[in-house]
Structure formats: structure tokens, C-alpha cells
Amino acid sequence: MTDPKDSPGSTQAEVNTDEVSIARVYDFCLGGKDNFAVDRAAAQAMMEVVPETPLLAQVNRCFLRQAVRYLAGEAGIDQIIDIGSGLPTAGNVHEIAQEKNPDARVVYVDNDPVVLAHARALLATDANTTVISADLREPDVIFGHPETRRLIDTSRPFAILLGGILMHLEDEEDPEGIAANLRDRLPAGGHLLVSNTCDTGEPRAAELARVFAENGMGTRCFRTWDEQIRYFDGLELVEPGLVPNNEWRPAGDVPDPDNPAHALHIGGLGRKVR
């Protein structure tokens, strides 16, 4: 991408090409083209300290796809809210869910104008899938949005996906409180997915955390496993629990599955029993 005017539905004023976008850095790490020089520079800085950074992004997508297959297949979930969804890529949530259940409904939530423009173009003909502009830190806005209310029946089990987003919140933004707020909205049988980078105690984690902070992507991106397990308080963890993404029911699409860098990114899925 060379000019924000190239994005369907976006305008020059909407897109700040001088500020790093989490969604666009992630897009670059996945091999996408919807990013700017500032995003590529941030990604390159990450790869200088952890060359496997793109691998972590790729395997996070593998985990997300496997979890959605489980939700739409084994768990029978036909309603999903994907918060901080990022730019469309191969194997989008609605595509995976609708492979298992053609009637599955998905609400994508993001606040990046480039994400919104691309997602709206992609979803223009899919009545069961939508994208809304909202922020993770304002769950009342997400759940009160007319499109969410149109597609999601909150009296029936649904899933909330928080793939790689809580890690970008500062402590004062209370990620645990936000996770608790979202858990409380789930009915019995509902599910919460969380994945984030993880502080393993190794020096490379600290170095990558420094690069995240220097690029305005959060100063607490690397929380420990003990801190992150609290996001699932009161939920029953689906096996194998909160683990490195490459270990969560891996399919054949996990690249370089034995790379020790996988420990730097973990994910899990919890079910509300009652």
C-alpha cells in the first residue's frame, strides 16, 4: 500500500501514515500489502531482536483458525464477536466458521480505518457477517451497536475472540477488568478466546517488549502466563489450556512447529459453564 486513498472507503484524513498501526504491522508480518513504511519499520525493528516475529504472527493465525473450527464444529457455536480483528487475510474467522456452519454469524470489531474499509468491501454481500467501528475498552458500545444486536443473540451461547489485543493495553487500562466485563456478558455455553505475547523470562522477550513500547504499541505487551491465566477466571479451559499457540490442537498448517520462539506467544479458549 502506498497511499491511503487506495483503501476502499477510506480518505486521506482518516489514515495517519506517520503513526504505527498494530493491525498493519501484523498484516506485514503475515506477508500482506496493506501497510505503510512506518509499519514496516516497526516490524523490521522487531525482527532485529526476534527474527521469528513473523512466525509468531503466522502461528497466532493458525491458533485462531483451529479455535474457530472447534467453536463452530465441536462446540456448536454459531455466533462470534471478533474484537480487534485486524485486516482481512486468508482463513478469516467468518470463512472458517461458515465452512462448519453456513449460518454462522460474525461481528468483526476494530477501530483502524484501513481495517474497516477493507473489511466492509470484503463483507458487502454477506448478510451474516459485519464489521463495526468500536474499541475494546468500550464494551457497551460494542454490544449496543445495532449491527451487533442484529446478528448476535446474547441469550444464546456465543464466542468472543480477543486475539492479540489485550497485550496492547496498559495496566491502567485494566485488561483484567475488561476481560471480566466480557466474560460476564457470556451466557452459559459461551466461550472466550485470548492470545497474547508472553513474558517467558528470557532476554529476547524483554528486548521485543522494548521495541513494542518504542513504537507506541504498548509498554506491557509481554505479561507472564500467571498474569494472563486470570483472563479466564471462572471459565473452564478447553484442552490443552493456555499454551504456546503451536501446541493448541495443531493442524498441519503450523510452520516450523518445533521452534523454541513459539513460547513467546500463548493462547487459550475458556467456556462458561454456568
Side-chain angles (χ1 to χ4, degrees):
M1 179 187 295
T2 57
D3 193 314
K5 295 192 295 297
D6 295 339
S7 299
S10 70
T11 68
Q12 185 80 25
E14 289 176 316
V15 181
N16 184 350
T17 62
D18 296 322
E19 185 174 298
V20 174
S21 160
I22 295 165
R24 299 193 308 260
V25 170
Y26 192 53
D27 173 74
F28 176 78
C29 289
L30 292 173
K33 299 179 181 179
D34 298 313
N35 47 75
F36 300 110
V38 65
D39 309 306
R40 295 189 286 275
Q44 292 291 349
M46 294 175 197
M47 286 185 278
E48 286 178 10
V49 296
V50 177
E52 299 95 339
T53 295
L55 175 66
L56 299 179
Q58 293 160 17
V59 179
N60 186 54
R61 291 298 303 182
C62 292
F63 160 68
L64 186 66
R65 288 194 293 266
Q66 279 299 88
V68 172
R69 290 186 185 106
Y70 168 85
L71 288 166
E74 293 182 47
I77 297 293
D78 61 0
Q79 311 182 100
I80 297 174
I81 302 175
D82 184 0
I83 303 176
S85 53
L87 282 151
T89 185
N92 291 296
V93 167
H94 72 284
E95 295 167 333
I96 299 294
Q98 289 171 0
E99 284 177 5
K100 296 291 185 180
N101 181 349
D103 295 323
R105 291 167 285 170
V106 176
V107 175
Y108 291 110
V109 183
D110 212 293
N111 60 5
D112 187 307
V114 174
V115 170
L116 297 168
H118 280 263
R120 284 168 181 153
L122 174 69
L123 303 172
T125 60
D126 188 340
N128 281 345
T129 309
T130 191
V131 59
I132 67 172
S133 176
D135 193 289
L136 167 68
R137 291 161 289 200
E138 299 178 333
D140 286 343
V141 174
I142 296 172
F143 281 85
H145 195 286
E147 283 292 276
T148 306
R149 296 169 67 89
R150 177 177 71 87
L151 288 180
I152 306 297
D153 177 358
T154 56
S155 69
R156 296 197 302 108
F158 64 95
I160 298 171
L161 311 184
L162 301 176
I165 184 170
L166 289 174
M167 57 188 267
H168 297 292
L169 297 184
E170 304 294 348
D171 288 342
E172 57 267 27
E173 293 175 299
D174 192 16
E176 284 187 41
I178 290 172
N181 183 304
L182 295 172
R183 289 196 309 267
D184 289 346
R185 296 172 188 266
L186 292 170
H191 289 69
L192 175 68
L193 175 147
V194 178
S195 70
N196 295 297
T197 46
C198 182
D199 181 2
T200 61
E202 68 165 292
R204 292 204 310 170
E207 281 296 292
L208 191 52
R210 175 185 57 78
V211 176
F212 271 93
E214 289 175 351
N215 285 276
M217 300 173 70
T219 64
R220 288 283 281 124
C221 288
F222 280 75
R223 293 182 170 93
T224 65
W225 187 94
D226 288 339
E227 289 176 293
Q228 296 190 52
I229 194 65
R230 296 199 286 265
Y231 297 142
F232 299 98
D233 280 354
L235 303 183
E236 177 182 85
L237 279 170
V238 175
E239 290 295 334
L242 180 59
V243 296
N245 289 334
N246 65 314
E247 297 179 11
W248 204 94
R249 304 188 177 208
D253 60 347
V254 175
D256 198 3
D258 299 322
N259 194 311
H262 286 301
L264 294 172
H265 212 302
I266 62 176
L269 183 65
R271 177 179 180 270
K272 193 168 191 175
V273 178
R274 59 181 180 275

